[in-house]
Amino acid sequence: MALRKCSLLIIALLATTSVSAQILSGPAEVGDGDTIRIGGEAIRLHGIDAPERSQSCEGQDGKEWSCGEWAREVLVGLLSGKTVHCAGIERDGYGRLVAKCHVGNMDVGEEMVARGAAHAYRKYSLDYVDAEKRAFVAAIGLWQGEHLQPEAFRAQRGE
């Protein structure tokens, strides 16, 4: 029995090590404001939650705008033509690699939150809370009007 527990522990450690040690680099294909692909690997950006592509928000003027598509375009602008380096942390429930990604010295997740294009995803990380507070105070991006948090939007749709 002790040998079986030890074997299971070793397998769990190896599985954790292999994901956290996974490094991907290359051009990125953007799916939405918090999901990319590098070399066919789906990557969920760690610590952020961007609006869904089909999500709309309300601007200061009360008019509806496609904030989900806008968030995607912000990410495209940050990554287009650049080499993206991602360090895996874990796998999510959809099998995507959850990773911290950088372009040079820029933390991609932090920049998305700082531009008001994503929320700090407090459920999983507190890394970008300060960047979100600055975007909120400056009333930029999502913070210029009213919107549902992406998680609430998904819940409304039964996702």
Side-chain angles (χ1 to χ4, degrees):
M1 186 58 105
L3 181 60
R4 179 171 166 75
K5 285 183 180 177
C6 185
S7 296
L8 290 173
L9 179 60
I10 290 171
I11 290 169
L13 286 173
L14 288 174
T16 301
T17 302
S18 64
V19 169
S20 63
Q22 190 167 358
I23 305 292
L24 296 170
S25 291
E29 184 180 312
V30 176
D32 60 23
D34 54 29
T35 309
I36 63 174
R37 283 188 169 279
I38 296 177
E41 176 82 50
I43 300 167
R44 175 69 156 82
L45 297 175
H46 165 76
I48 73 170
D49 197 15
E52 298 301 314
R53 283 182 76 172
S54 62
Q55 189 170 345
S56 294
C57 298
E58 187 179 302
Q60 276 182 318
D61 58 5
K63 291 184 181 175
E64 196 172 288
W65 61 289
S66 181
C67 58
E69 278 298 327
W70 172 79
R72 179 187 180 282
E73 290 305 315
V74 171
L75 187 55
V76 167
L78 292 174
L79 306 183
S80 185
K82 299 181 176 96
T83 300
V84 182
H85 304 279
C86 297
I89 297 170
E90 63 185 349
R91 294 263 172 205
D92 69 9
Y94 299 101
R96 299 173 297 188
L97 181 67
V98 176
K100 270 207 170 199
C101 298
H102 291 82
V103 171
N105 291 327
M106 178 186 65
D107 179 324
V108 176
E110 182 174 27
E111 188 64 22
M112 286 294 289
V113 174
R115 291 181 181 216
H119 284 257
Y121 209 175
R122 289 169 173 81
K123 182 175 179 180
Y124 298 103
S125 171
L126 299 177
D127 290 356
Y128 307 125
V129 171
D130 288 342
E132 183 183 83
K133 287 177 185 175
R134 288 189 300 274
F136 175 80
V137 168
I140 60 172
L142 299 171
W143 306 110
Q144 65 181 302
E146 298 295 322
H147 68 282
L148 278 179
Q149 288 202 7
E151 188 171 42
F153 178 79
R154 290 189 298 273
Q156 263 189 356
R157 294 182 8 185
E159 297 176 13

